[in-house]
Amino acid sequence: MRVVIAEDAVLLRAGVTRLLADEGIETVAAVDNGDDLLGAVTEHRPNLAIVDVRMPPTFTDEGLRAALAARKAVPGLPVLVLSQYVEESYAVELLSGGAGGVGYLLKERVADVAEFLDAVRRVAGGGTAIDPDVIAQLMARGRKNPLDALTARESEVLGLMAQGLSNTAIANSLVVSHGAVEKHIGNIFSKLGLEASAEEHRRVRAVLTYLGR
């Protein structure tokens, strides 16, 4: 796997690079601003871009805007955003952009090495990895909800899917059988009008519908 990192904090940038290297993941470029991120992904065509939200010159939302530009320049580029907070407007645009390979983690999650590396691999593989706190804030925006047809349990299952949990992990979290989880997910696909296709593709589409509501 080849990764581009965009992070202005030198220690965090070096730490993530070393952490990935220990797992055999190559960092082909490590930059500290949005313009260099765009140049790096165009040049290297990596399997994943790991992007901080706040970067020079204003340290507000340059990273997210650069991530959106990078996905336009390299369609399908998987992007994992790291942030100390949730920048709602651009986060919604990134997460509901109609394609998989997106993640949004709060930086405190990087301290859990196994969780962070799992998110890296999942997003690079076209899946999603969304921090529960990010989901909570986006869902609290009060926008029109197109998922009213789902039951409370189905919504709960979809929320856990958005975090990137497998069916087995969802079953363990809810203390229900694996079969019950599969039934709920089947109902979710049906109610959202997601026609039969590759299971992972429908899963990503369901999560993006949930995040984009």
Side-chain angles (χ1 to χ4, degrees):
M1 185 191 305
R2 301 165 66 253
V3 173
V4 166
I5 299 172
E7 166 61 60
D8 69 285
V10 176
L11 290 179
L12 182 57
R13 188 168 68 242
V16 171
T17 299
R18 176 60 182 273
L19 180 62
L20 296 177
D22 288 345
E23 295 296 315
I25 300 172
E26 179 186 5
T27 299
V28 294
V31 302
D32 63 1
N33 64 81
D35 289 341
D36 286 348
L37 167 65
L38 189 57
V41 299
T42 302
E43 176 183 355
H44 296 287
R45 303 279 168 154
N47 304 106
L48 175 70
I50 299 176
V51 185
D52 183 22
V53 168
R54 292 183 172 182
M55 289 194 292
T58 68
F59 295 95
T60 53
D61 54 21
E62 287 86 355
L64 270 177
R65 288 191 281 111
L68 289 167
R71 280 174 73 91
K72 290 180 180 178
V74 183
L77 172 71
V79 173
L80 175 59
V81 171
L82 299 179
S83 180
Q84 292 180 330
Y85 76 119
V86 182
E87 206 301 317
E88 292 185 0
S89 59
Y90 288 108
V92 169
E93 186 175 351
L94 176 66
L95 297 173
S96 61
V102 290
Y104 198 129
L105 296 182
L106 298 184
K107 284 186 175 180
E108 62 191 54
R109 307 294 181 189
V110 179
D112 187 326
V113 174
E115 182 178 341
F116 173 67
L117 291 174
D118 179 63
V120 165
R121 294 189 178 93
R122 191 184 316 133
V123 174
T128 58
I130 316 299
D131 194 291
D133 290 343
V134 174
I135 294 174
Q137 290 194 43
L138 295 182
M139 293 305 99
R141 299 181 77 216
R143 304 190 320 163
K144 184 178 179 180
N145 178 10
L147 305 175
D148 289 338
L150 300 185
T151 66
R153 176 62 88 182
E154 289 162 358
S155 294
E156 190 173 14
V157 168
L158 186 50
L160 294 173
M161 288 168 61
Q163 295 177 35
L165 272 65
S166 66
N167 288 9
T168 299
I170 293 173
N172 292 338
S173 176
L174 299 179
V175 194
V176 298
S177 69
H178 192 276
V181 171
E182 290 183 339
K183 182 178 179 180
H184 288 313
I185 292 176
N187 289 340
I188 291 168
F189 291 159
S190 177
K191 291 179 179 180
L192 295 184
L194 300 177
E195 299 179 356
S197 61
E199 175 73 14
E200 187 63 26
H201 181 60
R202 285 204 295 174
R203 198 179 186 93
V204 169
R205 287 170 61 200
V207 167
L208 293 173
T209 298
Y210 178 75
L211 294 172
R213 67 181 182 176

